[in-house]
Amino acid sequence: MGLLKESLKDFFQDKRDWISFGGVFLLFLIFWSYNYSFRFAPLFTQALKDNQIGLSLFYFLFFTAGALVIYPIALAFYGKLNEFKSSIPLILGFVVVLAIVCSARIRDSELFRWAGSSSVEIAMLTVNYMGTILAYVALPLAWIILRKNSQDRLLGLDKSPKFGEVLFLLGLMLPIIAIASFSLSFLSVYPRFAGRMSDGYLIYPPTLWIILFEISYAADFAVLETFFRGFMVFPLASRAGSKPAVLAMAFMYGLLHFTKPQFEALGSFFGGFILGMISYRTKSVYAGILIHIGVALAMELAATLQFLYFME
């Protein structure tokens, strides 16, 4: 509890911090409300799912619009607007990666017939997660290689977490996940590894494929955390301070979830903000990695138990 308390205390030090957080959250609520009122991102994603170029362009414009709104505002709250112009290449890198992550998919199931009929869907998911991992890794890896004399070079990958605090924070999430697992919107998405029949029942693939999928799923969260809580925080924080960097990152992280269940998307803003402040305080991304993987696997398990034992 001490790590969470101290991380939040680092941020909320005066009135300007509360106003900044409230302003950014209000802005996020406007985007969130519009998206789920009109199903903006889900509808475009569905309509363009077979048009790779169109979907990539949509997400590039989507994240560009978000970045052009949030970064100047977050920097202006802390009198660092002059840093925006010099940060544009970095911010553009964020946008390009997020657009690739949301749009680049192998969708031709015929390419996976070698896996067997019961494993085609999970094989596609697993391979696509591997592609996402590569997208998240590319820019942080280039940063680590090229920024040899920079203090923010290792992006929080060189410091270990406080395991007791991580377990405590993860424990706080488990009751929430258990309650959420009774929601139909939750069960329409999780468990990710299972196919769904028209009547709502699940198709379980072979165990080996489930294991391969969960490994790629966990690895995806590890690189996601490194990207968001490391690459999107430390480089900008060294120029403009941790507070605008974390606020802008949390906003963009929330946008990434706009095709997920609506309250998961809302919660992602707070989760991104908290993990961002923990990352900056500890100078380590490992707390976020362990918490995120733990939550993701707990959601998979909770949904699986619902389908196996609690649903008629």
Side-chain angles (χ1 to χ4, degrees), residues 35 37-49 55 58-59 258-259:
N35 181 68
S37 294
F38 298 100
R39 290 183 49 79
F40 179 72
L43 285 177
F44 270 96
T45 301
Q46 182 63 28
L48 296 170
K49 68 177 183 178
L55 189 61
F58 165 73
Y59 273 109
F258 271 19
T259 56

Side-chain angles (χ1 to χ4, degrees), residues 90-213:
L90 189 63
I91 295 169
L92 182 61
F94 301 158
V95 167
V96 169
V97 170
L98 296 181
I100 292 172
V101 164
C102 289
S103 63
R105 298 286 186 276
I106 298 174
R107 302 181 188 278
D108 186 357
S109 61
E110 293 298 321
L111 296 174
F112 296 90
R113 288 300 176 191
W114 52 267
S117 59
S118 65
S119 304
V120 168
E121 185 172 345
I122 194 170
M124 290 179 68
L125 275 173
T126 302
V127 171
N128 280 320
Y129 269 119
M130 291 178 180
T132 301
I133 290 167
L134 292 176
Y136 274 132
V137 162
L139 282 182
L141 184 60
W143 183 271
I144 290 170
I145 293 171
L146 297 174
R147 303 278 293 187
K148 293 182 179 180
N149 298 318
S150 175
Q151 290 184 341
D152 57 31
R153 176 195 172 205
L154 294 177
L155 305 174
L157 290 167
D158 56 332
K159 301 286 178 62
S160 61
K162 296 180 179 180
F163 289 101
E165 293 280 2
V166 170
L167 290 175
F168 177 79
L169 293 173
L170 184 57
L172 292 178
M173 295 298 299
L174 294 181
I176 299 173
I177 293 169
I179 294 169
S181 70
F182 288 89
S183 163
L184 291 178
S185 63
F186 181 94
L187 295 174
S188 69
V189 177
Y190 303 102
R192 297 296 305 274
F193 63 78
R196 283 167 169 76
M197 300 171 66
S198 58
D199 56 9
Y201 285 93
L202 299 188
I203 304 170
Y204 288 91
T207 302
L208 178 60
W209 272 112
I210 293 176
I211 293 171
L212 290 174
F213 168 77

Side-chain angles (χ1 to χ4, degrees), residues 195-307:
R196 283 167 169 76
M197 300 171 66
S198 58
D199 56 9
Y201 285 93
L202 299 188
I203 304 170
Y204 288 91
T207 302
L208 178 60
W209 272 112
I210 293 176
I211 293 171
L212 290 174
F213 168 77
E214 295 296 350
I215 290 172
S216 66
Y217 192 44
D220 179 69
F221 285 118
V223 295
L224 177 150
E225 281 296 322
T226 302
F227 185 83
F228 276 93
R229 259 58 83 177
F231 188 56
M232 289 185 71
V233 171
F234 290 105
L236 186 60
S238 66
R239 300 181 182 189
S242 62
K243 295 178 182 181
V246 169
L247 283 173
M249 177 277 295
F251 185 94
M252 298 297 288
Y253 184 62
L255 295 187
L256 181 72
H257 290 74
F258 271 19
T259 56
K260 298 285 186 73
Q262 67 183 99
F263 290 106
E264 181 179 346
L266 183 61
S268 68
F269 173 85
F270 294 103
F273 171 75
I274 291 170
L275 290 177
M277 288 308 304
I278 288 175
S279 172
Y280 193 78
R281 176 176 177 77
T282 61
K283 300 297 186 288
S284 171
V285 295
Y286 290 111
I289 288 173
L290 294 174
I291 291 169
H292 213 149
I293 289 175
V295 168
L297 296 183
M299 291 167 77
E300 290 282 282
L301 178 61
T304 301
L305 292 175
Q306 284 285 356
F307 279 104

